[in-house]
Amino acid sequence: MYKLKGKVQHYAWGGLDFIPQLLNVSNNEQQPYAEYWLGAHSNAPSVVQLTDNAFTKLPDMIRSEPKRYLGEKAAKQFGELPYLLKVLDVKEMLSIQVHPTKAEAEKGFAAENEKGIPLDAAHRNYKDANHKPEVMVALGDFWLLHGFLPKQQLTETLERTDGFNALLPLFEGKGYYGLYRYVMELPQDGVDEMLRPLAQKIVPLYEQNKLSKMSPDFWAAKVMLDKKPAYTNFDRGIFSIYFFNLVYLTAGQAIFQGAGIPHAYLEGQNVELMSNSDNVLRGGLTPKHIDVPELLKHTVFEAITPAVIDGVKNGFERTYHCPVPDFIIHAVDVPAGSTYSGKATSAEIVLLMNGEAETSGTVLHLNKGDAAVIFSGEEYQIKALQHTKIFKAAVP
């Protein structure tokens, strides 16, 4: 087991305190700390501490002997660490997103390469040839959008939402695809005309603190306030706040986002585990590039009932199974004085969310915010010196 140092991402939507407190660093400049990455992503590789004075990048170490570090099966199937572990602090809403399947990512990546579109171009959709399924475990109260509402609920939403009545015949006649395509292709003046009556109703209620976070009105008004008092140039992603399931999770609950499921994180902190990819097709709540035809091509246009995952408890460990071969995540609660033991079947990353622990063998002292990597075949023991909460990422 080796200590692992991750990379902080200072995206504008991030909070100011949660990740600095986790990592025990000061934030005197009041920068947003949005994400903390642990893995072998090429844009932000984690650093392995081999000895007191020797360090190497995790992807370089894995590439030197893939079978040794990943295990034969994972090395053959993936050739690299297939997952990226993150901690997120969502202060402001993230963009509405859809991720492609593996096959579609391969096709899209090759097609954009053939066109000579630079990898860092703002209008590029495919940054790599991989899919990007992801699972998140809430660390406290967390709100997100996830998939289209069931038909009856969406019908009722269109009926009762100011300005949306005109969309009802469209939904009844052309379904989810027709409804979503219409608002995504609607000229900006049409978007403004449809959303202005809603804004005039809900923005004053938001300002008077009369809206609940369990209502789409709260999140829509929060977006609209950026444009107040003009009530023009509305973000068309506001429609999706009403079209999608608004999901509320509490600490320890999880949800999986598969290919094609539109989603957006709204507020809260979580631990996220995802495939090693940057492929994102955006659908609003962002100033970034939105490719509507490509978005429509990959979105799942059907009712989704969000499947909240509570995990399977076994001893100290709660396991969140996901329907992909790339990753699995465990939340581990170890009481003070107890020892958590295991054997890595591939490269595993552990992160201490709180507490204090020591490892057996080459002794590592781990405190809150510390991470370590365990390579394939290694047996390990983690003794909690005080009550310790750990997240462990692995290949199933």
Side-chain angles (χ1 to χ4, degrees):
M1 189 181 291
Y2 300 94
K3 277 198 174 180
L4 195 65
K5 180 75 170 177
K7 171 74 173 177
V8 172
Q9 303 289 3
H10 298 284
Y11 306 137
W13 49 261
L16 302 177
D17 303 317
F18 183 80
I19 292 177
Q21 289 172 4
L22 172 67
L23 301 178
N24 194 29
V25 296
S26 61
N27 187 16
N28 296 328
E29 297 177 1
Q30 293 292 282
Q31 287 190 84
Y33 275 64
E35 299 184 353
Y36 182 56
W37 290 19
L38 290 162
H41 194 287
S42 58
N43 291 347
S46 294
V47 174
V48 182
Q49 181 176 348
L50 300 173
T51 65
D52 287 345
N53 301 307
F55 301 85
T56 187
K57 291 179 180 178
L58 180 58
D60 294 343
M61 193 171 180
I62 290 172
R63 274 194 294 266
S64 69
E65 294 184 78
K67 289 183 181 179
R68 174 184 173 187
Y69 294 120
L70 293 177
E72 190 165 346
K73 182 182 176 183
K76 182 178 180 181
Q77 185 171 7
F78 301 106
E80 62 179 5
L81 189 70
Y83 62 77
L84 177 63
L85 180 65
K86 297 180 178 181
V87 178
L88 273 68
D89 183 10
V90 181
K91 184 182 177 185
E92 303 296 336
M93 287 178 260
L94 275 66
S95 59
I96 293 165
Q97 301 181 8
V98 168
H99 305 307
T101 64
K102 182 80 166 69
E104 290 298 330
E106 290 170 352
K107 287 195 289 186
F109 184 66
E112 290 188 334
N113 284 345
E114 283 182 23
K115 293 176 182 176
I117 302 174
L119 273 176
D120 59 355
H123 66 288
R124 177 146 188 156
N125 292 313
Y126 299 93
K127 304 297 178 72
D128 52 69
N130 202 11
H131 63 168
K132 193 176 178 285
E134 53 200 26
V135 64
M136 60 141 286
V137 183
L139 295 173
D141 294 339
F142 198 94
W143 289 266
L144 73 152
L145 302 174
H146 177 89
F148 283 97
L149 286 165
K151 186 175 181 180
Q152 183 62 33
Q153 285 182 248
L154 184 47
T155 299
E156 292 170 359
T157 297
L158 297 178
E159 287 174 341
R160 69 171 180 260
T161 305
D162 289 57
F164 283 19
N165 302 80
L167 297 173
L168 197 53
L170 183 66
F171 179 51
E172 290 172 345
K174 296 189 176 179
Y176 292 99
Y177 177 84
L179 174 69
Y180 193 65
R181 179 178 177 179
Y182 177 80
V183 298
M184 292 305 296
E185 294 181 345
L186 193 62
Q188 187 60 50
D189 58 352
V191 172
D192 293 345
E193 183 179 348
M194 190 167 289
L195 291 178
R196 194 172 293 115
L198 179 62
Q200 290 168 343
K201 177 183 178 181
I202 67 175
V203 167
L205 295 174
Y206 180 91
E207 292 177 313
Q208 296 164 31
N209 200 28
K210 292 182 177 179
L211 295 176
S212 164
K213 289 182 179 180
M214 303 303 289
S215 166
D217 290 344
F218 176 93
W219 304 102
K222 190 175 181 182
V223 177
M224 290 169 171
L225 261 177
D226 290 340
K227 302 296 180 183
K228 188 178 177 289
Y231 291 116
T232 59
N233 198 32
F234 291 107
D235 189 314
R236 68 188 62 238
I238 291 168
F239 290 109
S240 294
I241 295 174
Y242 291 89
F243 295 174
F244 298 165
N245 292 286
L246 175 56
V247 182
Y248 166 64
L249 302 176
T250 58
Q253 292 186 315
I255 197 163
F256 175 78
Q257 324 269 10
I261 304 299
H263 62 278
Y265 293 159
L266 301 176
E267 185 180 287
Q269 292 90 31
N270 69 33
V271 170
E272 182 182 76
L273 187 59
M274 50 169 272
S275 292
N276 216 5
S277 173
D278 289 322
N279 287 327
V280 176
L281 302 166
R282 294 179 175 85
L285 306 184
T286 178
K288 293 183 179 180
H289 175 64
I290 297 176
D291 185 334
V292 174
E294 200 68 17
L295 175 70
L296 295 174
K297 180 178 167 186
H298 296 289
T299 300
V300 173
F301 289 103
E302 59 186 49
I304 298 292
T305 300
V308 176
I309 309 168
D310 291 315
V312 178
K313 188 84 163 60
N314 182 20
F316 301 143
E317 192 174 80
R318 184 175 296 276
T319 300
Y320 301 89
H321 295 281
C322 300
V324 289
D326 308 50
F327 54 74
I328 190 168
I329 188 165
H330 311 267
V332 188
D333 268 298
V334 191
S338 297
T339 299
Y340 170 65
S341 303
K343 181 177 181 180
T345 56
S346 183
E348 299 182 355
I349 293 175
V350 294
L351 168 66
L352 263 69
M353 292 303 298
N354 55 47
E356 184 182 7
E358 275 187 351
T359 67
S360 58
T362 305
V363 177
L364 295 182
H365 193 91
L366 302 174
N367 292 302
K368 176 181 177 180
D370 285 340
V373 61
I374 311 154
F375 292 113
S376 178
E378 294 292 337
E379 295 184 3
Y380 58 90
Q381 292 184 322
I382 302 173
K383 181 178 180 179
L385 304 181
Q386 53 180 273
H387 182 265
T388 300
K389 178 66 174 283
I390 299 168
F391 279 94
K392 183 178 78 172
V395 180

